[in-house]
Amino acid sequence: MENIDRSEMAVRCERLRKTYGPVVAVADVTLSVRRGECFGLLGPNGAGKTTTIEILEGLLTPDAGDVEVLGLRWAHHSHDLRQRLGIQLQETQLPDKLTVEETLRLFRSLYPRGRTVDELLAIVELESKRTSRVGRLSGGQKQRLSLACALAGDPDLLFLDEPTTGLDPQSRRQLWTLLDQFRAAGRTILMTTHYMDEAEFLCDRVAVVDHGRIIALGTPKDLIAKLGAPKVITHNGTLEDVFMALTGRHLRDE
Amino acid sequence: MSDRFSSSPLVQLTLARFREFIREPEAVFWAFGFPIIVSLALALAFPSRADRAVIVGVHPGGDAESLRATLNSSAGITVREISQDEERNALREGRVNVVVIPTDPPTYKFDPAREESRLARAVVDDALKRAAGRTDPFTAREEPQEVAGSRYIDWFIPGLIGMGLMSNGMWGIGFGIVQARMRKLLKRMVASPMKKSEYLLAQLIARLTFLPFEVLAPLLLGVIAFGMPVNGSVGAIVVVTMVGALSFGALGLLMATRARTIEAISGLMNLAMVPMWILSGVFFSSGNFPDAMQPVIQALPLTAMTDALRAVILDGATLRQVTSELLVLAAWGIAPFFIALRLFSWR
């Protein structure tokens, strides 16, 4: 792999492996995320993206392999790490009965330092929903609130698991802009997605994951140049082409 | 509220749980309204025992004419005509306590296994023998004492409070946690720097904030509607109910350590609670169970809770006098909390 000084690494993992009985969720994943970059894990459903990111988030313990986040290890520094990470999980449903403001106050209280509730509301543009119950928010608004919760501790590194799945195009665009701003402020993002346009728009580098392995790694441009282009004659190549070329066109079950 | 206080995670976690509860109207009804309805219904079904006559069944028709007249003129007896076909059913359902057949000497049909049936037999026997000319060697001087606190409703309301604290504590906490687990909220919370013990503690503290209402509603109903005496100190009632609420809350945590579905938690809750409803003397005295079972029954948290509440409310016991019950409750609070903290599944 690339030859980079370790101190520049926000996330580094080697030879990760995680199985559930006979099912191999993560077979062999080695990757590094540089500080200040937006790194995407791209792959079809069931490819092992979520398992990988949850191992990196310290929520799952790998069967084998080595993980270092912000130069620290989960086994010894989990308390420090938790304070410096922002995490958005794929399926979290925040309590419906709480208001937006109450939810943010709750999450903010869990961090020793961070942004104020007003700042968070401004960042995700939910000021007008401050007193609304979470249960009455639209999908896009919920997702922005969930992002605001992840930003409550003013994290150095943000983990996002399929942040825009199920959202309408406007809401997706709005979230992309927010994430772009976060990265522009010099912070690091590691995200999973199965949307090619999202990875192309947001990510500096992407790793294509399938069957628990990384099958391609590089900038979106490189990947398109290397793998997508030959397949495509009539239009400019996209990551979609790369993805299809690598993971096949057949439908997959979960 | 100072800023540092209101921004502490424990306060925010407690507030969140509290808000979730009070914004759920159904939950509020089951916690506060339901116990009141139950007390009212039971008060109607079990009026004060003293003024209740025994109900004697007699067959209709001429043969029983004089028997009916004798019984009707005796105090404390209500006569109900009952046909021969019906008498078994009537006895079983408690519509009559004894059936008298005008044979010579008369025949009593009754169920010796039922207290009210045996009592009715004795009352009828007495009345008939006296009417037949028995002379009593003496007539005892009777001093009826209307002891407030000895009626069923007085005895029942402390039990109802205890049962309410158990149900609300276990359901409230167990359900809340399983729901948070199903919604992946627990997982999200542990992805933050939250202290796990604070999350669990917040669930318990939020429970305590409802305590005044849960205890006051049935207590005031007892005092105002039924004239139930409150002989113990308010301080003692507060301490006993607080310790009880915390220990049932901790049991709720224990039940919810691993359950992932509402069905699973419901099953566990019933497994834990139904035996206590029966054994712990909420509806009828646990003294009815054999002596061999008593050590187990006395060790149950609901038994300790209802015994302590009855002692404090009805007998005016001090905290010192209910120390053993408080210790049982405290043990049921502390052990499950730490077991839950250890085994808790946050995913």
Side-chain angles (χ1 to χ4, degrees), chain A residues 4 34 38 41 48 57 110 115 119 149 158 183 186 219 237:
Chain A
I4 307 166
R34 296 171 202 152
C38 178
L41 284 174
E57 288 165 347
L110 306 175
R115 296 175 183 277
E119 284 169 359
C149 292
L158 192 57
R183 196 198 41 176
T219 65

Side-chain angles (χ1 to χ4, degrees), chain A:
Chain A
M1 264 184 65
E2 298 114 305
N3 196 10
I4 307 166
D5 178 13
R6 282 176 124 200
S7 63
E8 282 177 39
M9 289 302 175
V11 179
R12 207 180 52 76
C13 72
E14 260 166 47
R15 317 225 55 168
L16 286 190
R17 185 175 173 85
K18 179 81 181 173
T19 57
Y20 296 98
V23 181
V24 181
V26 175
D28 180 7
V29 167
T30 298
L31 61 83
S32 321
V33 178
R34 296 171 202 152
R35 287 184 198 251
E37 83 172 334
C38 178
F39 188 95
L41 284 174
L42 197 63
N45 289 336
K49 305 187 298 288
T50 296
T51 309
T52 303
I53 200 169
E54 287 189 354
I55 291 171
L56 301 178
E57 288 165 347
L59 293 172
L60 285 176
T61 320
D63 298 337
D66 190 41
V67 178
E68 217 176 271
V69 179
L70 300 172
L72 304 171
R73 282 166 197 282
W74 282 111
H76 307 296
H77 307 102
S78 83
H79 190 68
D80 294 341
L81 272 172
R82 290 262 168 255
Q83 297 181 8
R84 294 175 61 190
L85 302 184
I87 292 179
Q88 187 181 37
L89 301 174
Q90 201 181 122
E91 318 152 284
T92 304
Q93 294 169 276
L94 295 166
D96 284 338
K97 305 277 175 190
L98 300 185
T99 68
V100 168
E101 185 181 3
E102 288 162 356
T103 306
L104 288 175
R105 214 166 280 291
L106 169 64
F107 275 90
R108 176 59 187 84
S109 77
L110 306 175
Y111 295 86
R113 56 177 186 86
R115 296 175 183 277
T116 65
V117 170
D118 290 333
E119 284 169 359
L120 292 168
L121 283 169
I123 293 171
V124 298
E125 294 172 39
L126 282 175
E127 291 110 322
S128 64
K129 294 287 169 188
R130 179 189 282 271
T131 57
S132 301
R133 297 267 177 97
V134 172
R136 305 221 178 93
L137 299 180
S138 71
Q141 289 164 344
K142 279 183 183 159
Q143 209 60 8
R144 265 144 60 206
L145 176 59
S146 159
L147 179 64
C149 292
L151 295 174
D154 197 16
D156 299 323
L157 167 61
L158 192 57
F159 285 104
L160 305 167
D161 196 0
E162 298 193 5
T164 64
T165 296
L167 297 187
D168 61 65
Q170 281 88 347
S171 302
R172 294 181 65 208
R173 284 277 161 186
Q174 201 175 5
L175 259 167
W176 290 0
T177 315
L178 292 176
L179 296 178
D180 221 28
Q181 285 163 2
F182 179 81
R183 196 198 41 176
R187 311 299 172 92
T188 312
I189 299 176
L190 195 160
M191 65 188 290
T192 72
T193 181
H194 50 226
Y195 295 121
M196 310 307 128
D197 53 347
E198 186 161 290
E200 260 180 283
F201 183 92
L202 286 173
C203 298
D204 300 303
R205 289 190 303 146
V206 294
V208 181
V209 183
D210 200 15
H211 299 298
R213 289 171 202 280
I214 291 178
I215 52 177
L217 179 75
T219 65
K221 228 183 193 159
D222 284 349
L223 291 180
I224 293 163
K226 266 197 291 200
L227 296 148
K231 291 254 172 197
V232 186
I233 302 150
T234 53
H235 64 90
N236 292 324
T238 65
L239 262 188
E240 188 96 35
D241 303 314
V242 176
F243 187 70
M244 284 305 187
L246 286 169
T247 63
R249 286 170 191 274
H250 56 280
L251 283 173
R252 290 170 188 254
D253 296 325
E254 264 305 312

